Amino acid sequence: MGKIYIVGIGPGCHEDMTLRADKALRESDVIAGYTVYVDLVRDYYSDKEFISTPMMGEVNRCRMALEEAQKGKTVSMVCSGDAGVYGMAGLIYKLSVEYKPMDIQVIPGITSALSGGALAGAPLTHDFAVVSLSDLLTPWEKIECRLREASKADFTLCLYNPSSKKRHDYLAKACGICMEYKSEETVCAIAKNIGREGEAYQVMTLKELAVTPVDMFTTVFIGNSQSRVIDGKMVTPRGYMEKEHGKK
């Protein structure tokens, strides 16, 4: 029986890959994935067979991985960040019903909400929501609704896929929606190229964020009403000190 590992490789640098992820890749005969992600691990596992497809080739690459597993091979499908957070885990499971039974295991990884949050400070210490601004698979009307309701509930927001050539104004639109319920002075942050060359972060207000250029390699954090700047970092407190003061 073949085996498929669906592996979250973290933000990009090998040091941020989990030990389970490394073990799965070393055990595999084939490593499959989006070309950019395969290239991030290729040098560390050069003895493996590689399968890759460009952007928009998700279904094809998952079928190719499943077909290799059907031959009795152990295959790792690599995903940036976590395999279950906007990754290939759901698609592999969905397509797997068309094939003979096989062993499928999801190997968790560090998603950019966490790695980017660590870079920018501690923006997600309290309740938060993660929303992708990509409307390739989700209608913008639904994304807009989710942004509005999360802002209304005073969640900290983490935004994935904030901009592209075709969606250059989507972050500005998202900020406008958030400002219906959040102050324009709300503390925000962006994290770029997390775990890769050019890694950087910047802290700013929601008003400033609306006019800040970003790309697909940027993760955006929009604070709640309690978020603040501490030593140049974005921090969302959870109320531990207030609880202690309440006991006295």
Side-chain angles (χ1 to χ4, degrees):
M1 178 186 293
K3 176 183 288 188
I4 287 192
Y5 291 116
I6 315 168
V7 184
I9 61 171
C13 61
H14 195 255
E15 290 80 3
D16 284 334
M17 185 187 297
T18 68
L19 295 175
R20 281 186 64 195
D22 176 66
K23 183 173 183 290
L25 293 178
R26 285 189 283 107
E27 290 179 358
S28 296
D29 303 302
V30 181
I31 295 177
Y34 171 43
T35 304
V36 173
Y37 304 151
V38 166
D39 287 345
L40 290 173
V41 302
R42 189 185 296 273
D43 290 345
Y44 296 98
Y45 310 96
S46 58
D47 60 322
K48 308 301 179 183
E49 179 184 349
F50 291 93
I51 295 172
S52 64
T53 63
M55 185 72 74
M56 304 300 292
E58 293 86 355
V59 174
N60 187 38
R61 84 175 69 113
C62 286
R63 288 194 183 281
M64 293 167 70
L66 287 162
E67 288 164 6
E68 290 300 309
Q70 288 281 270
K71 299 174 184 177
K73 297 180 180 180
T74 297
V75 181
S76 278
M77 170 63 73
V78 295
C79 307
S80 178
D82 179 81
V85 180
Y86 304 113
M88 294 293 101
L91 183 55
I92 287 282
Y93 274 114
K94 184 176 181 179
L95 293 173
S96 68
V97 299
E98 302 174 18
Y99 296 81
K100 295 178 182 179
M102 65 184 72
D103 184 9
I104 300 176
Q105 296 182 29
V106 178
I107 310 297
I110 303 173
T111 187
S112 60
L114 307 181
S115 54
L119 178 63
L124 306 180
T125 308
H126 214 309
D127 298 336
F128 65 93
V130 177
V131 179
S132 170
L133 295 191
S134 173
D135 59 356
L136 288 175
L137 302 175
T138 305
W140 174 253
E141 292 75 18
K142 183 171 286 189
I143 296 171
E144 183 177 300
C145 179
R146 290 170 176 170
L147 290 170
R148 183 168 284 110
E149 294 302 318
S151 296
K152 184 178 180 180
D154 198 28
F155 280 95
T156 296
L157 280 164
C158 178
L159 305 182
Y160 283 43
N161 306 313
S163 182
S164 68
K165 291 181 179 179
K166 293 182 179 180
R167 299 182 294 105
H168 61 88
D169 61 341
Y170 275 34
L171 179 58
K173 290 165 65 175
C175 290
I177 292 167
C178 292
M179 281 189 276
E180 293 175 15
Y181 300 97
K182 296 175 179 285
S183 166
E184 63 181 26
E185 296 302 313
T186 297
V187 175
C188 300
I190 59 173
K192 297 183 176 182
N193 301 312
I194 305 161
R196 307 176 195 180
E197 183 178 354
E199 179 183 78
Y201 78 93
Q202 185 178 353
V203 176
M204 66 198 72
T205 66
L206 181 53
K207 183 179 180 180
E208 292 169 333
L209 177 64
V211 294
T212 297
V214 296
D215 58 25
M216 289 289 284
F217 297 103
T218 305
T219 303
V220 175
F221 300 90
I222 298 176
N224 68 15
S225 59
Q226 302 301 311
S227 299
R228 63 192 68 175
V229 180
I230 299 178
D231 194 26
K233 299 280 189 173
M234 178 181 176
V235 178
T236 301
R238 197 179 176 197
Y240 293 108
M241 295 178 67
E242 288 80 355
K243 183 177 180 180
E244 286 298 314
H245 291 158
K247 290 181 180 180
K248 296 180 180 180

